[in-house]
Amino acid sequence: MISCRSNLGQNLLTGKIPPSLGRLSSLQTLSLLENGLNGTLPPELGKLSNLQKLRLQSNNLRGDLPKDYENLKNLTIFGIAGNYLSGRIPTFIAKWVNLYAL
């Protein structure tokens, strides 16, 4: 399998994370850390079943983790520190058996 990565970290990006990123089904790494992204986490990212690394640290993201993220069972890294997320930690995270960094 060809490794598909998108590193858009530290690029002064602003606005909301585009839901259309959920159509990049081969994506294994998505790094949007240290930008000025805001709004909630798009549920569409839960369609990225091949995703292994999702790095969203140090933005201005708010709200809960979408239930759709339950499908991200291949995650090894899920970086969300430095945001304003709220709510309980979802129980579905226990199904992410490859996760070693949260």
Side-chain angles (χ1 to χ4, degrees):
M1 175 191 276
I2 295 174
S3 179
C4 297
R5 296 181 177 96
S6 179
N7 185 353
L8 299 171
Q10 302 172 324
N11 277 295
L12 303 175
L13 299 175
T14 59
K16 299 183 184 318
I17 297 173
S20 58
L21 290 177
R23 291 187 293 216
L24 302 174
S25 60
S26 296
L27 202 61
Q28 294 175 331
T29 299
L30 178 59
S31 180
L32 297 169
L33 68 125
E34 297 179 16
N35 282 296
L37 299 170
N38 59 42
T40 58
L41 296 169
E44 291 83 359
L45 294 185
K47 297 177 184 173
L48 300 175
S49 60
N50 290 313
L51 202 61
Q52 296 172 7
K53 298 175 185 173
L54 180 56
R55 302 189 67 204
L56 304 170
Q57 302 97 301
S58 301
N59 281 288
N60 296 305
L61 301 169
R62 300 183 180 279
D64 296 339
L65 293 181
K67 171 108 173 82
D68 303 73
Y69 285 29
E70 182 174 16
N71 300 322
L72 301 177
K73 295 176 182 167
N74 290 314
L75 280 183
T76 58
I77 296 174
F78 185 47
I80 55 172
N83 285 290
Y84 301 95
L85 300 177
S86 58
R88 297 179 183 252
I89 297 173
T91 57
F92 63 73
I93 287 180
K95 296 178 183 177
W96 296 349
V97 296
N98 298 314
L99 189 70
Y100 66 84
L102 175 61

